[in-house]
């Protein structure tokens, strides 16, 4: 015998959202296909689980299980709801575990984009963690805007022109572009002494520079025009989605990259990359900014991280020759 709705029975579906408290029972019964086993897992009585499922069915307006003599099975509606509920429950459980694990611990959550995280921030974090071993670090690598007043992110590092950030943003450093390559790539052919010599090489470039606002400053075409080579065609073009992919391709000798100086300063200092035309640096209007959420700025761990970050930014400014060294303060209106 089942509880399937008889034909021609009128169904009046409710419109308000269902209560979520019974979804745990739905998941357990669906997994075991047995009310008793689900009840044992949930530390409830079998009748309590049954009442939760019945209440959920009443709220949804259709049966979620077919009850047989010795077993139950999901209806189509029950399966549809289960597929939506399970990922949500897993995310809730994961969030609770994270909250419990970090309760009482000092932590800093940083939002920045993937290339900056991998090329500039992460290589430096070991020094911070050595000085502050009791502060946990979380990096959210995303280009999406973050509301520091409402999110669980404490600070953000962004890349934009001065008008693209709030007035309380702190300037880290500006930007120059320069052609760079692996030293062994340059040893494999004729010397590269002037811009016209680039025609013998593959040129590496971001694939979205012509489609994304502000990134037109990063194109090889702009650099070539400024260096009196507007019609130059390289051996081939290679396009990538991210700056760290371009740098990796240059490091492995696949071509010459038009690199952002702040992101490759360490590779230039180590000799892994070399500037192929040192006199060919060009400025962009882009700036790297630090934004700190007002509600978190007074926490000692946030202050410690910001102080460390600003000191690291000063080192980068010196390495890229940003003179005069600009003060790290809010940009002018």
């Amino acid at each position: 015998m089942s509880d399937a709705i008889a034909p021609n029975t009128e169904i009046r579906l409710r419109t308000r959202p269902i209560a979520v408290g019974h979804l745990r029972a739905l998941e357990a019964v669906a997994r075991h296909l047995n009310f008793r086993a689900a009840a044992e897992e949930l530390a409830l009585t079998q009748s309590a689980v049954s009442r939760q499922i019945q209440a959920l069915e009443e709220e949804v307006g259709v049966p979620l299980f077919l009850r047989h003599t010795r077993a139950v099975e999901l209806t189509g509606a029950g399966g549809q709801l289960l597929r939506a509920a399970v990922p949500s429950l897993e995310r809730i459980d994961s969030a609770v575990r994270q909250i419990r694990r970090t309760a009482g611990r000092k932590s800093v959550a940083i939002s920045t984009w993937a290339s900056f995280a991998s090329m500039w921030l992460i290589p430096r974090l070991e020094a911070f963690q050595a000085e502050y071993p009791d502060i946990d670090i979380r990096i959210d690598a995303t280009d999406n805007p973050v509301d520091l007043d409402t999110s669980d992110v404490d600070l953000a590092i962004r890349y934009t022109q001065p008008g693209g950030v709030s007035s309380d943003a702190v300037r880290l450093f500006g930007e120059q572009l320069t052609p760079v390559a692996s030293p062994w790539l340059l040893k494999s052919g004729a010397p590269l002494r002037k811009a016209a010599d680039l025609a013998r090489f593959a040129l590496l470039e971001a694939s979205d520079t012509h489609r994304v606002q502000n990134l037109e400053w990063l194109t090889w075409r702009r650099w070539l025009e400024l260096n009196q080579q507007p019609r130059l065609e390289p051996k081939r073009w290679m396009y990538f989605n991210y700056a760290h992919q371009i740098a990796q391709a240059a490091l492995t000798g696949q071509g010459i990259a038009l690199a952002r100086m702040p992101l490759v300063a360490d590779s230039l200092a180590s000799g892994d990359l070399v500037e192929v035309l040192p006199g060919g640096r060009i400025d962009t209007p882009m700036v790297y900014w630090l934004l700190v959420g007002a509600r978190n700025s007074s926490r000692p761990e946030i202050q410690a991280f910001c102080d460390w970050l600003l000191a690291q930014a000063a080192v980068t400014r010196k390495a890229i020759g940003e003179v005069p060294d600009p003060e790290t303060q809010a940009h002018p209106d």
Side-chain angles (χ1 to χ4, degrees):
M1 180 177 178
S2 72
D3 290 342
I5 296 177
N8 302 321
T9 299
E10 182 181 359
I11 300 175
R12 301 189 64 181
L13 299 179
R14 300 184 180 189
T15 58
R16 70 169 183 256
I18 66 169
V20 299
H22 302 325
L23 293 178
R24 190 78 67 181
L26 169 73
E27 189 277 332
V29 174
R31 183 156 35 83
H32 292 287
L33 293 178
N34 184 286
F35 278 89
R36 186 179 67 254
E40 291 175 355
E41 177 182 310
L42 297 173
L44 297 170
T45 64
Q46 184 174 336
S47 61
V49 172
S50 180
R51 286 195 299 272
Q52 288 189 19
I53 297 299
Q54 289 174 355
L56 188 57
E57 289 175 323
E58 289 176 3
E59 289 194 89
V60 175
V62 298
L64 302 175
F65 291 95
L66 298 177
R67 280 82 162 172
H68 304 295
T69 303
R70 297 185 179 277
V72 295
E73 64 176 299
L74 276 168
T75 64
Q80 184 178 357
L81 182 57
L82 180 69
R83 287 190 294 275
V86 168
S88 298
L89 290 172
E90 290 175 348
R91 286 195 295 271
I92 291 170
D93 290 341
S94 176
V96 170
R97 286 194 298 269
Q98 178 71 15
I99 291 168
R100 288 171 174 168
R101 188 163 54 243
T102 59
R105 294 182 63 89
K106 292 182 289 185
S107 64
V108 179
I110 308 117
S111 171
T112 188
W113 68 104
S115 291
F116 186 84
S118 62
M119 297 177 70
W120 193 92
L121 181 58
I122 293 174
R124 290 166 168 76
L125 277 180
E126 183 179 1
F128 177 80
Q129 293 180 320
E131 187 174 355
Y132 299 97
D134 59 334
I135 297 179
D136 297 334
I137 299 295
R138 191 186 90 220
I139 297 176
D140 290 344
T142 177
D143 293 323
N144 297 328
V146 175
D147 187 341
L148 295 175
D149 292 327
T150 59
S151 72
D152 62 349
V153 172
D154 300 309
L155 54 91
I157 301 171
R158 290 293 178 254
Y159 173 73
T160 186
Q161 295 187 51
V165 290
S166 59
S167 60
D168 58 350
V170 178
R171 187 185 190 281
L172 296 177
F173 34 77
E175 181 174 76
Q176 286 184 318
L177 303 178
T178 188
V180 301
S182 165
W184 66 265
L185 173 67
L186 302 179
K187 295 177 182 177
S188 62
L192 196 166
R193 296 193 176 96
K194 56 186 183 299
D197 295 335
L198 292 169
R200 300 196 309 269
F201 297 88
L203 298 184
L204 316 178
E205 184 169 86
S207 58
D208 54 359
T209 52
H210 300 283
R211 298 190 299 272
V212 178
Q213 186 180 10
N214 294 332
L215 296 190
E216 69 272 10
W217 298 101
L218 309 181
T219 61
W220 266 113
R221 280 298 169 205
R222 178 174 177 269
W223 187 94
L224 291 168
E225 288 174 0
L226 292 174
N227 286 272
Q228 292 74 53
Q229 295 294 325
R231 300 183 185 278
L232 183 143
E233 287 297 330
K235 179 180 179 181
R236 63 178 173 275
W237 291 99
M238 296 184 69
Y239 298 99
F240 301 88
N241 291 108
Y242 300 104
H244 66 267
Q245 295 172 339
I246 297 174
Q248 186 61 36
L251 285 165
T252 54
Q254 297 182 49
I256 298 177
L258 186 59
R260 307 176 193 180
M261 282 290 294
L263 301 186
V264 298
D266 293 343
S267 295
L268 292 173
S270 67
D272 292 331
L273 291 174
V274 295
E275 282 191 84
V276 298
L277 296 166
R281 294 187 187 184
I282 61 173
D283 295 317
T284 82
M286 306 300 287
V287 177
Y288 297 72
W289 302 97
L290 169 64
L291 297 88
V292 184
R295 63 189 175 92
N296 295 319
S297 59
S298 61
R299 285 165 42 201
E301 61 269 32
I302 302 300
Q303 294 176 345
F305 189 86
C306 289
D307 290 344
W308 171 83
L309 192 69
L310 295 178
Q312 293 296 315
V315 173
T316 294
R317 288 197 303 274
K318 182 177 180 180
I320 65 177
E322 191 168 290
V323 179
D325 188 6
E327 296 179 359
T328 51
Q329 59 186 3
H331 65 80
D333 294 333

